[in-house]
Amino acid sequence: MNKYLSLSPEVEAALSAGRPVVALESTIISHGMPYPQNVETALRVEQTVRDNGAVPATIAVIGGKLKAGCNKDEIEYLGQKGQAITKASRRDLSVLLARKADGATTVTTTMIIAAMAGIQVFATGGIGGVHQGAQQTFDISADLEELAQTPVMVICAGAKSILDLGLTLEYLETKGVPVIGYGTDELPAFYTRHSGFNVDYRIDTPEELAVSFRAKTDCGLKGGMLVTNPIPEEYSMPKHIIDKAINEAIKEMDRLGIRGKQCTPFLLAKVKELTGGDSLAANIQLVLNNARLAALTAAALCQIR
Ligand code: PSU
Ligand code: MN
């Protein structure tokens, strides 16, 4: 184990006993939702993982340590500090560690730290991808490269249409990342169940997710697997309403000249404002839904000999 990695006692005990563990990210806490809903949601997500038979490992960089398993106080700290904590992607880790600094982990860095710790299943809300207009801006999330190289199953609710979904799928295909629809042939688009794009495969059970992932790692095929789990019908938002808010948010972002790592947090906050908070309520529900599936899948993985 490298000297920067720090597992909580509970996570360490579960991993060494071969019990299921689910990784959770912290950018969604510090940058993805406002305080105090971010902290409340993070704790509810952890509880959902427990209720479904696995141990949660909220991942973050704290004081120059790669933490797998944050305690309540650490989650409160990440939530209260919010945007003041560095949004940490792969390129940020080296300097943050050298400076003994803090970082909120994105999908990318949560995958990196989960893999170091030996955690194979990770639940979140949405991943980064190819942004609209990437032909000009080159804005392609490091999350896609991480999925191409790090062996972690990422369970999300698909990708938002702040991204170019078609180009995101093309990129994942090029990189050899399987895109699975859980109980659906259609790629879900985060707040809504519909995108008009197809996934590569539909899988209907946690067991088949687990066996597919194990087959991949058994063969030494590098990289992860992207599982897209549609938001439950009762919480999903009408596509035209969310699309309108997203288009308006992107226009505003361009007008203000916002670029780089600020894009995703800006768009999330703007969409929330434009939908009068409906998008936040949907966001919370879809994360809980993903946490449940991740716990069941992590448990199924532990059953495979
Ligand atoms: N999408 C969301 N909520 C989030 C993110 C994405 O709905 O909080 C976060 C995740 O941590 C993801 C990151 O890994 O944004 C992607 O940022 P970027 O586009 O800058 O790579
Ligand atoms: Mn980007």
Side-chain angles (χ1 to χ4, degrees):
M1 196 159 97
N2 77 54
K3 68 173 187 177
Y4 296 102
L5 186 61
S6 164
L7 307 190
S8 72
E10 188 191 15
V11 167
E12 186 163 16
L15 288 171
S16 56
R19 284 187 278 115
V21 178
V22 171
L24 302 166
E25 64 154 300
S26 46
T27 288
I28 193 175
I29 303 175
S30 298
H31 298 260
M33 289 184 192
Y35 182 80
Q37 287 96 332
N38 54 2
V39 172
E40 283 161 24
T41 304
L43 296 176
R44 276 178 78 189
V45 169
E46 287 210 338
Q47 189 57 45
T48 302
V49 170
R50 289 183 200 287
D51 292 346
N52 287 281
V55 169
T58 296
I59 289 180
V61 182
I62 296 185
K65 292 282 183 212
L66 306 171
K67 286 251 176 196
C70 288
N71 62 33
K72 253 181 138 165
D73 291 343
E74 289 162 336
I75 289 174
E76 176 70 29
Y77 172 76
L78 292 163
Q80 269 194 26
K81 281 203 99 176
Q83 312 268 344
I85 294 198
T86 303
K87 176 178 159 189
S89 191
R90 177 176 269 271
R91 58 122 185 243
D92 302 288
L93 287 182
S94 41
V95 174
L96 289 178
L97 294 181
R99 291 183 178 169
K100 299 194 181 347
D102 301 327
T105 53
T106 62
V107 167
T108 295
T109 38
T110 304
M111 289 179 77
I112 294 172
I113 297 166
M116 276 180 197
I119 302 170
Q120 295 185 298
V121 181
F122 163 22
T124 187
I127 60 158
V130 180
H131 277 261
Q132 289 188 30
Q135 296 90 332
Q136 263 72 46
T137 62
F138 270 44
D139 191 353
I140 300 174
S141 175
D143 293 352
L144 300 183
E145 287 296 323
E146 210 58 48
L147 281 161
Q149 62 174 315
T150 300
V152 172
M153 185 193 300
V154 179
I155 300 185
C156 69
K160 286 192 209 56
S161 37
I162 62 174
L163 303 175
D164 187 317
L165 299 183
L167 293 186
T168 300
L169 289 174
E170 290 293 349
Y171 201 99
L172 290 167
E173 181 193 356
T174 302
K175 293 290 177 175
V177 178
V179 179
I180 309 298
Y182 188 71
T184 179
D185 290 305
E186 187 181 358
L187 177 76
F190 201 82
Y191 303 114
T192 143
R193 296 167 64 90
H194 303 291
S195 68
F197 292 95
N198 284 339
V199 292
D200 303 329
Y201 294 95
R202 169 184 176 152
I203 289 182
D204 291 334
T205 62
E207 289 70 28
E208 196 186 356
L209 290 177
V211 174
S212 305
F213 185 74
R214 183 55 60 84
K216 180 180 167 81
T217 53
D218 278 352
C219 292
L221 291 169
K222 71 178 178 135
M225 181 178 269
L226 185 65
V227 177
T228 62
N229 186 26
I231 184 172
E233 192 86 60
E234 64 269 39
Y235 303 113
S236 73
M237 295 179 65
K239 191 169 182 314
H240 67 277
I241 291 184
I242 197 73
D243 283 353
K244 188 163 171 270
I246 287 171
N247 288 336
E248 223 168 290
I250 290 175
K251 269 196 214 128
E252 173 92 1
M253 180 178 85
D254 290 343
R255 210 167 31 240
L256 295 171
I258 289 168
R259 282 188 288 128
K261 69 197 286 191
Q262 306 306 333
C263 291
T264 300
F266 174 85
L267 292 171
L268 290 176
K270 195 75 206 167
V271 168
K272 175 185 167 253
E273 188 189 308
L274 292 170
T275 58
D278 286 1
S279 68
L280 179 60
N283 199 345
I284 292 169
Q285 290 301 329
L286 65 86
V287 180
L288 294 171
N289 190 46
N290 296 341
R292 181 180 153 276
L293 178 59
L296 299 176
T297 304
L301 256 176
C302 290
Q303 296 303 314
I304 303 175
R305 287 288 146 235

